[in-house]
Amino acid sequence: MIDRAFTVDVEDWHHSNLAGMPATAGATSILPQSMPLLLDLLAELNVRASFFILADVLDEVKPFLPRLRAAGHEVASHGSHHRLAYEQTADEFRADIAAAKQRIEDAWGEAIAGYRAPSWSIGPANKHYLQAIADAGYLYDASLLPFRTYLYGYPDAPRAPFQPRIDGRPLPLVEVPGTTARLWGKVIPFAGGFYLRALPAALLKRLAANAAAEGLPLIYYLHPREILVEQPRPAGLTARERLIHLHGLRGVAGKLRTILQSGGFRPLGELVAAWRETGLPAGDL
């Protein structure tokens, strides 16, 4: 049986780390519109998910916390301010993830286990930040994508969940890399965000089958804004940034429904607990 999880990076439309995203102090949130749509779909399909919440949007998310709890969803951390991890000093990063954990736990009412960095922004140059994540009390991290883009990536990271080892020193942390698949000899991501929006449904299905054939868990992810077709369209984005930010929105709901109907989804924290019991390989970074 293939392990499956659906995860949500709970941030607002303006939290993209694209350079052309304008200053948005006081911007109107679209979370009150997008979160109910997403929660309704998950309830309809009886899927329990993991919500990586950005602490800076807690005021907008708090009205939905009782519904998350009642449905058996997991709450985890997406940090405080959605600054790229590699643009923070080590001290800034430690403060960011510790403050986020405390703020989210205060709102949720219990300890949280997971963390995901904004925009997969832990890579070879700041891999030692994983130690800070462990030190902050997180039990698992989901911040590495074994693929390289101009903005992020850790192409040499293991592709299956592992126990990270840095400079020969194991960390008390489970790392859950973003899901990738092999196609025509290349390793490519497909399981969320721009990739899910841009790739045809038939290709998404093939890539999922390829990943499963390698024994990889299928860890899907989405941002709440991506379920909305009508949303702010910032004028300052370059053509490439507009493509990354907005392309394929009309197809998301249908693709997501097809993916979630495959069944067998569990919150990521539950999968991590099960993997800990059976044991995970060490992975050198």
Side-chain angles (χ1 to χ4, degrees):
M1 179 178 176
I2 299 300
D3 289 329
R4 290 177 171 86
F6 178 65
T7 68
V8 184
D9 290 356
V10 184
E11 61 196 62
D12 225 318
W13 66 270
H14 52 82
H15 284 118
S16 165
N17 295 113
L18 299 171
M21 187 62 69
T24 52
T28 300
S29 172
I30 61 173
L31 287 169
Q33 289 76 47
S34 58
M35 285 291 287
L37 292 175
L38 189 53
L39 289 171
D40 286 349
L41 180 59
L42 294 174
E44 176 190 341
L45 300 176
N46 196 29
V47 170
R48 293 183 302 130
S50 297
F51 287 77
F52 289 85
I53 299 174
L54 187 71
D56 277 359
V57 300
L58 270 172
D59 285 346
E60 289 75 26
V61 174
K62 281 178 182 177
F64 302 106
L65 293 182
R67 189 171 176 184
L68 292 176
R69 186 180 302 280
H73 297 305
E74 177 189 15
V75 162
S77 170
H78 198 35
S80 294
H81 313 304
H82 215 268
R83 286 183 62 199
L84 294 167
Y86 57 73
E87 290 185 347
Q88 301 178 58
T89 67
D91 286 344
E92 288 172 337
F93 181 75
R94 284 180 178 274
D96 180 288
I97 63 173
K101 190 171 189 291
Q102 188 63 62
R103 291 168 66 187
I104 295 166
E105 289 177 343
D106 287 347
W108 184 234
E110 60 185 78
I112 61 174
Y115 171 77
R116 177 179 282 156
S119 299
W120 309 104
S121 54
I122 293 182
N126 64 337
K127 62 185 180 183
H128 56 287
Y129 283 18
L130 294 178
Q131 179 68 64
I133 296 169
D135 291 345
Y138 294 99
L139 302 180
Y140 74 88
D141 175 67
S143 301
L144 309 187
L145 187 66
F147 181 77
R148 170 66 67 191
T149 77
Y150 80 98
L151 188 63
Y152 56 76
Y154 205 138
D156 295 327
R159 295 172 56 226
F162 65 99
Q163 203 88 32
R165 191 164 54 195
I166 298 177
D167 299 329
R169 179 170 42 84
L171 301 183
L173 191 72
V174 172
E175 181 61 44
V176 187
T179 303
T180 54
R182 292 189 183 276
L183 184 69
W184 303 316
K186 303 286 187 180
V187 171
I188 59 173
F190 67 91
F194 169 76
Y195 312 103
L196 186 147
R197 287 186 276 118
L199 297 176
L203 183 54
L204 291 172
K205 182 177 180 180
R206 178 178 175 183
L207 290 167
N210 289 0
E214 290 190 70
L216 299 176
L218 300 178
I219 313 298
Y220 291 93
Y221 69 97
L222 196 79
H223 306 91
R225 70 169 188 85
E226 290 174 304
I227 205 166
L228 289 178
V229 176
E230 299 301 324
Q231 61 179 269
R233 283 162 162 74
L237 301 182
T238 65
R240 177 173 69 171
E241 290 172 337
R242 283 196 301 274
L243 180 74
I244 293 170
H245 193 65
L246 298 169
H247 180 71
L249 292 172
R250 292 190 182 278
V252 168
K255 291 176 181 177
L256 186 57
R257 178 177 292 276
T258 298
I259 289 166
L260 295 178
Q261 283 175 332
S262 61
F265 285 86
R266 298 168 62 188
L268 190 50
E270 289 188 12
L271 292 180
V272 168
W275 295 335
R276 281 183 178 273
E277 287 187 8
T278 57
L280 285 171
D284 288 307
L285 295 172

